[in-house]
Amino acid sequence: MSADTSIAPDRTPASGGGGGRAATAGLAGRLANWNVAIIAVTIVVLIVASATVENFGTSQNFGFLVLDLLPIALVALPMTLVIVTGEIDLSVASTLGLCSAVMGSLWNSNQPIETIIPLCLLLGAVLGAVNGFFVTVLGLPSLAVTIGTLALYRGLAFVVLGDSAVADFPVQYTDWVTGNIGGTSIPNVLLIIVVLAVVFGILLHATPIGRAVFAVGASEQAARFAGVRPGRLKFWLYVVSGLVSGLAGVLWTLRYSSARADNGAGLELAVVAAVLLGGVSIFGGKGALPGVIAGVVLLASLQNALRLSDVSNEALNVVTGVLLIVSVLAPNLANAVRSSVQRRRHRTTNPL
């Protein structure tokens, strides 16, 4: 199973004029895919925003931009694998909020931060396992399950912490999250994003697990015949999704030095929009991580540029919604156009 959405390269030998044209067409097919397009659009947006939006291109704003995209990028990594299998997890933001609330509650109970952070990560994994159990063991639809746990986990966050906020976390931890590497302008948290992106990229595109993920998304029945156990695979993907959401909750809390039950509210829409904008099919079986990373950067950059232009939060929600619709509509339109062109070429070359 191919790990991206590009057209398979032409196998025709490259010798002779016809072969050369076929090889050129195959190269064009590999390049002209959604991943390349979204990366190109992201680069253009960054250049235009740097030239037209005041302070966007500064090193200080680069740090803010990385901190803004941090939770979206982290949660989008496991979300990519979940959606490629044909499922979804809409509870990620509520998992983040509940882990943040528990972090604040434990800190108020005078627990050491070195104990609190692993416990919050474990809590995230358990919350993901609950989703996985309902989806894979009970066979319930993931959309309904994770909408339910979205409300459940957020409600539990308010039960744990109420409307209060905890804001006196250790300075060495909060300073590290908001600080830079050495004397550079590169944020420390960028290391976390890069490391996890490489890990998930290798997992999805260069391991048997990744091939199983694509196989399940393309055809669960065929994957079973190939020896894949879809239920077990999906269960562990939900566990990983919860674990990474817990990590995002810890980093969110330390960034703002504030544990609140409503932390991360609405983040799930930005994550899903970024993943779909990156070329992952909502129907499963297709997608690639480089496009997802570009989608995260594009979404965060647009939001950052609009904030610098004093655009309201309501308008930012409109932008996120529009991008979510575009991310679903555009790839399908592109595939329809490509299929139409291929049919016309086939009729031209084979009139009978």
Side-chain angles (χ1 to χ4, degrees), residues 261-306:
D262 60 352
N263 277 351
L267 184 72
E268 65 279 343
L269 294 181
V271 172
V272 173
V275 172
L276 299 184
L277 194 61
V280 177
S281 173
I282 190 63
F283 304 108
K286 294 182 180 179
L289 214 53
V292 172
I293 297 300
V296 169
V297 175
L298 175 59
L299 180 62
S301 298
L302 287 173
Q303 291 178 340
N304 181 269
L306 291 173

Short mmCIF file of all heavy atoms in Angstrom, two decimals, residues 261-306:
data_model
loop_
_atom_site.label_atom_id
_atom_site.label_comp_id
_atom_site.label_asym_id
_atom_site.label_seq_id
_atom_site.Cartn_x
_atom_site.Cartn_y
_atom_site.Cartn_z
N ALA A 261 -9.58 23.91 33.57
CA ALA A 261 -10.41 22.85 33.01
C ALA A 261 -10.78 23.10 31.56
O ALA A 261 -11.11 22.17 30.82
CB ALA A 261 -11.68 22.68 33.84
N ASP A 262 -10.75 24.37 31.13
CA ASP A 262 -11.13 24.69 29.75
C ASP A 262 -9.92 24.85 28.84
O ASP A 262 -10.05 25.31 27.70
CB ASP A 262 -11.99 25.95 29.70
CG ASP A 262 -11.26 27.18 30.25
OD1 ASP A 262 -10.15 27.03 30.81
OD2 ASP A 262 -11.81 28.29 30.13
N ASN A 263 -8.74 24.46 29.28
CA ASN A 263 -7.56 24.53 28.42
C ASN A 263 -7.76 23.66 27.18
O ASN A 263 -8.23 22.53 27.26
CB ASN A 263 -6.31 24.06 29.17
CG ASN A 263 -5.69 25.15 30.01
OD1 ASN A 263 -6.09 26.31 29.93
ND2 ASN A 263 -4.73 24.79 30.85
N GLY A 264 -7.41 24.20 26.03
CA GLY A 264 -7.49 23.46 24.77
C GLY A 264 -8.88 23.37 24.18
O GLY A 264 -9.08 22.65 23.19
N ALA A 265 -9.86 24.07 24.73
CA ALA A 265 -11.22 23.99 24.20
C ALA A 265 -11.25 24.38 22.73
O ALA A 265 -10.73 25.42 22.34
CB ALA A 265 -12.14 24.90 25.01
N GLY A 266 -11.84 23.54 21.90
CA GLY A 266 -11.94 23.80 20.48
C GLY A 266 -10.74 23.37 19.66
O GLY A 266 -10.76 23.49 18.44
N LEU A 267 -9.71 22.86 20.33
CA LEU A 267 -8.49 22.49 19.62
C LEU A 267 -8.72 21.35 18.63
O LEU A 267 -8.03 21.26 17.61
CB LEU A 267 -7.41 22.08 20.62
CG LEU A 267 -6.03 21.75 20.04
CD1 LEU A 267 -5.33 23.01 19.58
CD2 LEU A 267 -5.18 21.01 21.08
N GLU A 268 -9.70 20.48 18.91
CA GLU A 268 -9.93 19.33 18.04
C GLU A 268 -10.27 19.75 16.61
O GLU A 268 -9.87 19.09 15.64
CB GLU A 268 -11.03 18.42 18.60
CG GLU A 268 -12.41 19.03 18.66
CD GLU A 268 -12.64 19.91 19.87
OE1 GLU A 268 -11.85 19.82 20.83
OE2 GLU A 268 -13.59 20.70 19.86
N LEU A 269 -10.97 20.88 16.45
CA LEU A 269 -11.31 21.33 15.11
C LEU A 269 -10.07 21.77 14.34
O LEU A 269 -9.93 21.47 13.15
CB LEU A 269 -12.32 22.49 15.18
CG LEU A 269 -13.71 22.15 15.73
CD1 LEU A 269 -14.59 23.38 15.73
CD2 LEU A 269 -14.34 21.04 14.91
N ALA A 270 -9.17 22.48 15.02
CA ALA A 270 -7.92 22.89 14.37
C ALA A 270 -7.08 21.69 13.98
O ALA A 270 -6.47 21.66 12.91
CB ALA A 270 -7.14 23.83 15.29
N VAL A 271 -7.04 20.68 14.84
CA VAL A 271 -6.24 19.48 14.56
C VAL A 271 -6.80 18.74 13.35
O VAL A 271 -6.06 18.38 12.42
CB VAL A 271 -6.20 18.55 15.79
CG1 VAL A 271 -5.55 17.22 15.43
CG2 VAL A 271 -5.44 19.21 16.93
N VAL A 272 -8.10 18.50 13.35
CA VAL A 272 -8.72 17.79 12.23
C VAL A 272 -8.55 18.59 10.94
O VAL A 272 -8.25 18.03 9.88
CB VAL A 272 -10.21 17.51 12.51
CG1 VAL A 272 -10.90 16.94 11.27
CG2 VAL A 272 -10.35 16.55 13.67
N ALA A 273 -8.73 19.92 11.02
CA ALA A 273 -8.56 20.76 9.83
C ALA A 273 -7.14 20.65 9.29
O ALA A 273 -6.93 20.53 8.07
CB ALA A 273 -8.89 22.22 10.16
N ALA A 274 -6.14 20.68 10.17
CA ALA A 274 -4.74 20.60 9.75
C ALA A 274 -4.44 19.25 9.10
O ALA A 274 -3.75 19.17 8.08
CB ALA A 274 -3.82 20.84 10.93
N VAL A 275 -4.97 18.17 9.70
CA VAL A 275 -4.71 16.83 9.16
C VAL A 275 -5.34 16.66 7.78
O VAL A 275 -4.69 16.19 6.83
CB VAL A 275 -5.23 15.75 10.12
CG1 VAL A 275 -5.15 14.36 9.48
CG2 VAL A 275 -4.42 15.77 11.42
N LEU A 276 -6.58 17.07 7.64
CA LEU A 276 -7.26 16.94 6.35
C LEU A 276 -6.66 17.90 5.33
O LEU A 276 -6.53 17.56 4.14
CB LEU A 276 -8.76 17.20 6.51
CG LEU A 276 -9.51 16.24 7.44
CD1 LEU A 276 -11.01 16.54 7.42
CD2 LEU A 276 -9.26 14.79 7.05
N LEU A 277 -6.30 19.09 5.79
CA LEU A 277 -5.65 20.05 4.89
C LEU A 277 -4.33 19.49 4.38
O LEU A 277 -3.89 19.80 3.27
CB LEU A 277 -5.41 21.37 5.63
CG LEU A 277 -5.05 22.60 4.80
CD1 LEU A 277 -6.17 22.94 3.82
CD2 LEU A 277 -4.77 23.79 5.71
N GLY A 278 -3.68 18.64 5.19
CA GLY A 278 -2.42 18.03 4.79
C GLY A 278 -2.56 16.87 3.83
O GLY A 278 -1.57 16.22 3.48
N GLY A 279 -3.79 16.57 3.39
CA GLY A 279 -3.98 15.57 2.36
C GLY A 279 -4.43 14.21 2.85
O GLY A 279 -4.54 13.27 2.06
N VAL A 280 -4.71 14.06 4.14
CA VAL A 280 -5.20 12.78 4.66
C VAL A 280 -6.68 12.65 4.31
O VAL A 280 -7.46 13.56 4.56
CB VAL A 280 -5.00 12.69 6.18
CG1 VAL A 280 -5.59 11.39 6.72
CG2 VAL A 280 -3.53 12.78 6.53
N SER A 281 -7.05 11.51 3.74
CA SER A 281 -8.44 11.30 3.34
C SER A 281 -9.30 11.02 4.56
O SER A 281 -8.95 10.17 5.39
CB SER A 281 -8.54 10.13 2.36
OG SER A 281 -9.90 9.81 2.10
N ILE A 282 -10.42 11.70 4.68
CA ILE A 282 -11.34 11.48 5.79
C ILE A 282 -11.94 10.08 5.72
O ILE A 282 -12.42 9.54 6.72
CB ILE A 282 -12.46 12.55 5.78
CG1 ILE A 282 -13.30 12.50 7.07
CG2 ILE A 282 -13.35 12.38 4.56
CD1 ILE A 282 -12.54 12.82 8.31
N PHE A 283 -11.86 9.44 4.54
CA PHE A 283 -12.39 8.09 4.38
C PHE A 283 -11.35 7.02 4.68
O PHE A 283 -11.65 5.84 4.67
CB PHE A 283 -12.91 7.91 2.95
CG PHE A 283 -13.95 8.92 2.56
CD1 PHE A 283 -13.64 9.93 1.66
CD2 PHE A 283 -15.22 8.89 3.11
CE1 PHE A 283 -14.59 10.88 1.31
CE2 PHE A 283 -16.17 9.84 2.76
CZ PHE A 283 -15.85 10.83 1.85
N GLY A 284 -10.12 7.44 4.98
CA GLY A 284 -9.07 6.50 5.34
C GLY A 284 -8.29 5.99 4.14
O GLY A 284 -8.70 6.13 2.99
N GLY A 285 -7.12 5.40 4.43
CA GLY A 285 -6.33 4.74 3.40
C GLY A 285 -5.35 5.62 2.66
O GLY A 285 -4.51 5.10 1.92
N LYS A 286 -5.42 6.94 2.81
CA LYS A 286 -4.54 7.84 2.08
C LYS A 286 -4.04 8.96 2.98
O LYS A 286 -4.76 9.45 3.85
CB LYS A 286 -5.27 8.47 0.88
CG LYS A 286 -5.66 7.48 -0.21
CD LYS A 286 -6.34 8.20 -1.36
CE LYS A 286 -6.74 7.22 -2.46
NZ LYS A 286 -7.42 7.90 -3.58
N GLY A 287 -2.80 9.38 2.74
CA GLY A 287 -2.24 10.49 3.49
C GLY A 287 -0.75 10.35 3.65
O GLY A 287 -0.19 9.28 3.42
N ALA A 288 -0.10 11.43 4.01
CA ALA A 288 1.34 11.43 4.23
C ALA A 288 1.67 12.49 5.27
O ALA A 288 1.06 13.57 5.29
CB ALA A 288 2.10 11.70 2.94
N LEU A 289 2.63 12.19 6.13
CA LEU A 289 2.93 13.08 7.26
C LEU A 289 3.54 14.43 6.84
O LEU A 289 3.24 15.44 7.47
CB LEU A 289 3.84 12.37 8.25
CG LEU A 289 3.62 12.73 9.72
CD1 LEU A 289 2.16 12.55 10.11
CD2 LEU A 289 4.50 11.88 10.61
N PRO A 290 4.39 14.50 5.81
CA PRO A 290 4.91 15.82 5.41
C PRO A 290 3.80 16.80 5.08
O PRO A 290 3.88 17.98 5.45
CB PRO A 290 5.77 15.50 4.18
CG PRO A 290 6.22 14.10 4.40
CD PRO A 290 5.06 13.41 5.05
N GLY A 291 2.76 16.34 4.40
CA GLY A 291 1.65 17.22 4.09
C GLY A 291 0.92 17.68 5.34
O GLY A 291 0.48 18.83 5.44
N VAL A 292 0.81 16.79 6.33
CA VAL A 292 0.15 17.14 7.59
C VAL A 292 0.94 18.22 8.33
O VAL A 292 0.37 19.19 8.84
CB VAL A 292 -0.02 15.90 8.48
CG1 VAL A 292 -0.52 16.28 9.87
CG2 VAL A 292 -0.98 14.91 7.83
N ILE A 293 2.27 18.06 8.37
CA ILE A 293 3.10 19.08 9.02
C ILE A 293 2.93 20.42 8.32
O ILE A 293 2.81 21.48 8.97
CB ILE A 293 4.58 18.65 9.00
CG1 ILE A 293 4.78 17.36 9.81
CG2 ILE A 293 5.46 19.76 9.57
CD1 ILE A 293 4.39 17.45 11.25
N ALA A 294 2.90 20.39 6.99
CA ALA A 294 2.67 21.63 6.24
C ALA A 294 1.30 22.21 6.55
O ALA A 294 1.15 23.43 6.69
CB ALA A 294 2.81 21.37 4.74
N GLY A 295 0.28 21.34 6.69
CA GLY A 295 -1.05 21.82 7.04
C GLY A 295 -1.08 22.48 8.40
O GLY A 295 -1.75 23.49 8.60
N VAL A 296 -0.35 21.91 9.36
CA VAL A 296 -0.27 22.50 10.70
C VAL A 296 0.37 23.87 10.63
O VAL A 296 -0.14 24.85 11.22
CB VAL A 296 0.53 21.58 11.65
CG1 VAL A 296 0.84 22.30 12.95
CG2 VAL A 296 -0.23 20.30 11.92
N VAL A 297 1.49 23.97 9.92
CA VAL A 297 2.20 25.26 9.80
C VAL A 297 1.33 26.28 9.09
O VAL A 297 1.27 27.45 9.49
CB VAL A 297 3.53 25.07 9.07
CG1 VAL A 297 4.22 26.42 8.82
CG2 VAL A 297 4.46 24.15 9.86
N LEU A 298 0.62 25.86 8.03
CA LEU A 298 -0.24 26.78 7.29
C LEU A 298 -1.35 27.31 8.18
O LEU A 298 -1.59 28.53 8.23
CB LEU A 298 -0.83 26.05 6.08
CG LEU A 298 -1.86 26.84 5.25
CD1 LEU A 298 -1.24 28.13 4.71
CD2 LEU A 298 -2.40 25.99 4.10
N LEU A 299 -2.03 26.42 8.89
CA LEU A 299 -3.13 26.86 9.75
C LEU A 299 -2.63 27.77 10.86
O LEU A 299 -3.21 28.84 11.10
CB LEU A 299 -3.81 25.63 10.36
CG LEU A 299 -4.99 25.89 11.30
CD1 LEU A 299 -6.11 26.61 10.57
CD2 LEU A 299 -5.51 24.58 11.89
N ALA A 300 -1.54 27.39 11.53
CA ALA A 300 -1.01 28.22 12.62
C ALA A 300 -0.50 29.56 12.09
O ALA A 300 -0.66 30.60 12.76
CB ALA A 300 0.12 27.48 13.33
N SER A 301 0.10 29.57 10.91
CA SER A 301 0.61 30.82 10.34
C SER A 301 -0.52 31.78 10.00
O SER A 301 -0.42 32.99 10.26
CB SER A 301 1.43 30.52 9.09
OG SER A 301 2.54 29.72 9.38
N LEU A 302 -1.60 31.25 9.41
CA LEU A 302 -2.74 32.10 9.10
C LEU A 302 -3.36 32.69 10.37
O LEU A 302 -3.68 33.88 10.43
CB LEU A 302 -3.79 31.30 8.33
CG LEU A 302 -3.46 30.96 6.88
CD1 LEU A 302 -4.50 30.01 6.30
CD2 LEU A 302 -3.37 32.22 6.03
N GLN A 303 -3.51 31.85 11.40
CA GLN A 303 -4.07 32.34 12.65
C GLN A 303 -3.16 33.39 13.29
O GLN A 303 -3.64 34.41 13.80
CB GLN A 303 -4.28 31.17 13.61
CG GLN A 303 -5.38 30.21 13.19
CD GLN A 303 -5.54 29.04 14.13
OE1 GLN A 303 -4.62 28.71 14.89
NE2 GLN A 303 -6.70 28.40 14.12
N ASN A 304 -1.84 33.14 13.26
CA ASN A 304 -0.89 34.08 13.84
C ASN A 304 -0.91 35.41 13.09
O ASN A 304 -0.93 36.48 13.71
CB ASN A 304 0.51 33.46 13.80
CG ASN A 304 1.56 34.36 14.40
OD1 ASN A 304 2.19 35.15 13.71
ND2 ASN A 304 1.78 34.24 15.71
N ALA A 305 -0.94 35.34 11.76
CA ALA A 305 -0.95 36.57 10.96
C ALA A 305 -2.23 37.36 11.20
O ALA A 305 -2.20 38.60 11.28
CB ALA A 305 -0.80 36.22 9.48
N LEU A 306 -3.34 36.68 11.33
CA LEU A 306 -4.61 37.37 11.57
C LEU A 306 -4.64 38.00 12.95
O LEU A 306 -5.18 39.10 13.13
CB LEU A 306 -5.77 36.39 11.40
CG LEU A 306 -6.02 35.90 9.96
CD1 LEU A 306 -7.07 34.80 9.94
CD2 LEU A 306 -6.44 37.06 9.07
#
